[in-house]
Amino acid sequence: MTPTTETMVGIGGAAESTDMVLNIGPQHPSTHGVLRLKLVLDGERIQHAEPVIGYMHRGAEKLFEARDYRQIIMLANRHDWLSAFSNELGVVLAVERMLGMEVPERAVWTRTLLAELNRVLNHLMFLGSYPLELGGITPIFYAFTEREELQHVMEEVSGGRMHYMFNRVGGLKEDLPAGWTTRARTAVADVRSRMDRFDDLVLGNEIFRGRTRGVGALTPQAVHAYGVSGPIARASGVDFDLRRDEPYLAYGELGDVLKVVTREEGDCLARFECLLEQTHNALDLADACLDRLAELPPGPINQRLPKVLKAPEGHTYAWTENPLGINGYYLVSKGEKTPYRLKLRSASYNNIQALVELLPGTLVADMVAILGSMFFVVGDIDK
């Protein structure tokens, strides 16, 4: 009997049963944020995903313990550099609560106004950069045009373009410049008049919708399990917003203007829609604050503080609805001029954990769409 030879062709060395480990990042350490994703692939499909963080960890929480209550504001506004004003706000609210301090009404409304303008600035960055990550270059130019319009008024009032350093324990650094509210109102109206570019150019694009609809769906159960918050959580139907549910600043008086935007789908498209609609609402809130400021009589913008500020012994937790989600500061004081402990709960740190559940089962081609829709800042993860 003639012996036969069997030959197998085309399986690539039994590749069907071989997992490949792929590292996405870390990028060059001089960039403004470094995140690494360790993926285990089966062909083009992701089997396992692990976010690897800590490449730019700066030990902010430890540095808080070596700075007094005026100096820690500078550290706090840098972990999420797109939400600097909101970051400062959480710190001063915590210290004011410890002191039992009442803030002047003009400061309350001005803080609310600037927090909403900062929210628009944050969202515009992601409204422009997310389509860029999917191959659409035009929206980023429009986003920066609108950002510059608002940056001008924020820079005029505070002196800073990104790190405003305008909050102080007891109020704000100084009163608003003469005529500033008129210029701010004009800037808000100009930005609002051009926001339909994102509705038409991005949401109306069939390629964008094809890349995002039904991709990376996050369940409400996963939102609760991982502590996800902000527009990402609300896109999955989790109807929670601190501005409405535990009002701070002047939000308790803005209930008729404040709209909590939610979706049920929980996919990449829903997250983008939430972000866009929330930007529209933030502009409405800014207008409402400007109207209220116009009605207030002249008065102080801050409280007079002692030369050395010491918080009484005790502890408190102050959380705010930052643009990217819940931002919290747990402050422990031993009665000194520096915090004994200041623990930061940042939005991006919790939100990025959900990638462990989101990415497995999806295609590598969808990984960028999902990652970009999580709207995170790496400094807010590594703090």
Side-chain angles (χ1 to χ4, degrees):
M1 184 174 180
T2 306
T4 59
T5 303
E6 292 185 1
T7 305
M8 289 188 177
V9 180
I11 67 165
E16 292 180 29
S17 61
T18 303
D19 293 335
M20 180 174 71
V21 178
L22 179 66
N23 282 292
I24 308 295
Q27 304 301 326
H28 193 278
S30 68
T31 60
H32 68 250
V34 183
L35 176 70
R36 173 184 163 209
L37 284 178
K38 184 180 177 182
L39 307 178
V40 178
L41 306 181
D42 179 9
E44 286 292 309
R45 201 165 292 279
I46 299 171
Q47 285 189 322
H48 178 75
E50 179 188 355
V52 183
I53 66 172
Y55 287 94
M56 63 175 297
H57 178 60
R58 293 166 293 176
E61 292 177 331
K62 198 65 183 173
L63 291 173
F64 286 146
E65 299 172 14
R67 306 290 190 277
D68 67 34
Y69 289 107
R70 293 179 175 89
Q71 294 168 328
I72 59 175
I73 298 172
M74 179 275 294
L75 289 171
N77 72 15
R78 281 161 167 74
H79 58 85
D80 174 3
W81 41 78
L82 294 176
S83 311
F85 187 86
S86 301
N87 298 340
E88 301 171 11
L89 196 56
V91 170
V92 296
L93 288 176
V95 180
E96 287 163 3
R97 186 176 298 172
M98 292 283 283
L99 292 167
M101 180 181 290
E102 288 289 331
V103 176
E105 190 177 12
R106 282 178 56 78
V108 171
W109 282 97
T110 306
R111 280 177 172 179
T112 311
L113 165 63
L114 295 177
E116 290 306 311
L117 292 179
N118 193 198
R119 192 180 308 276
V120 177
L121 284 168
N122 175 291
H123 290 355
L124 281 170
M125 176 61 78
F126 291 107
L127 292 174
S129 65
Y130 185 44
L132 180 66
E133 290 162 2
L134 298 181
I137 193 172
T138 307
I140 193 70
F141 297 119
Y142 289 132
F144 268 90
T145 299
E146 310 313 327
R147 276 177 56 85
E148 282 302 309
E149 188 98 12
L150 295 175
Q151 285 283 28
H152 286 317
V153 295
M154 292 293 281
E155 186 176 5
E156 181 187 357
V157 74
S158 68
R161 279 185 62 81
M162 286 188 68
H163 304 303
Y164 305 110
M165 279 300 295
F166 198 55
N167 275 291
R168 295 292 186 274
V169 176
L172 295 167
K173 176 185 173 186
E174 55 199 8
D175 209 343
L176 304 174
W180 181 85
T181 53
T182 302
R183 293 186 286 277
R185 193 183 294 276
T186 302
V188 169
D190 288 347
V191 171
R192 181 188 287 106
S193 70
R194 296 188 291 263
M195 283 298 295
D196 60 347
R197 291 169 169 173
F198 298 98
D199 294 280
D200 301 336
L201 188 65
V202 182
L203 285 181
N205 186 296
E206 62 183 63
I207 299 174
F208 178 83
R209 298 185 76 88
R211 289 291 306 275
T212 56
R213 187 195 284 116
V215 175
L218 184 66
T219 64
Q221 292 77 17
V223 167
H224 292 302
Y226 288 96
V228 175
S229 59
I232 301 171
R234 291 191 283 273
S236 295
V238 179
D239 188 4
F240 180 71
D241 190 312
L242 283 174
R243 296 173 297 171
R244 178 200 63 194
D245 301 324
E246 283 198 23
Y248 58 98
L249 295 182
Y251 289 114
E253 300 181 47
L254 291 169
D256 55 338
V257 183
L258 175 61
K259 179 182 178 184
V260 180
V261 183
T262 60
R263 293 289 188 275
E264 296 299 326
E265 297 80 4
D267 57 9
C268 295
L269 181 60
R271 290 191 278 273
F272 186 86
E273 287 177 343
C274 275
L275 204 73
L276 179 57
E277 197 170 333
Q278 191 167 285
T279 308
H280 284 286
N281 186 240
L283 291 168
D284 294 338
L285 287 167
D287 265 341
C289 291
L290 285 165
D291 291 341
R292 179 66 172 143
L293 279 171
E295 299 169 359
L296 291 178
I301 200 78
N302 51 36
Q303 295 273 25
R304 291 183 64 88
L305 298 176
K307 188 173 182 180
V308 177
L309 180 63
K310 294 183 179 181
E313 189 169 345
H315 60 91
T316 190
Y317 182 69
W319 56 348
T320 55
E321 188 69 42
N322 267 33
L324 298 180
I326 293 174
N327 188 78
Y329 293 98
Y330 178 61
L331 171 63
V332 181
S333 171
K334 289 293 184 75
E336 302 295 332
K337 65 178 182 179
T338 60
Y340 177 74
R341 185 78 172 91
L342 187 58
K343 176 72 173 69
L344 166 61
R345 189 266 190 219
S346 63
S348 299
Y349 181 80
N350 282 72
N351 291 354
I352 205 68
Q353 295 180 86
L355 290 172
V356 175
E357 186 149 331
L358 269 182
L359 290 177
T362 64
L363 296 171
V364 175
D366 291 329
M367 185 269 298
V368 173
I370 296 170
L371 187 63
S373 74
M374 297 307 285
F375 309 131
F376 61 89
V377 170
V378 179
D380 205 36
I381 301 170
D382 284 350
K383 45 191 177 176

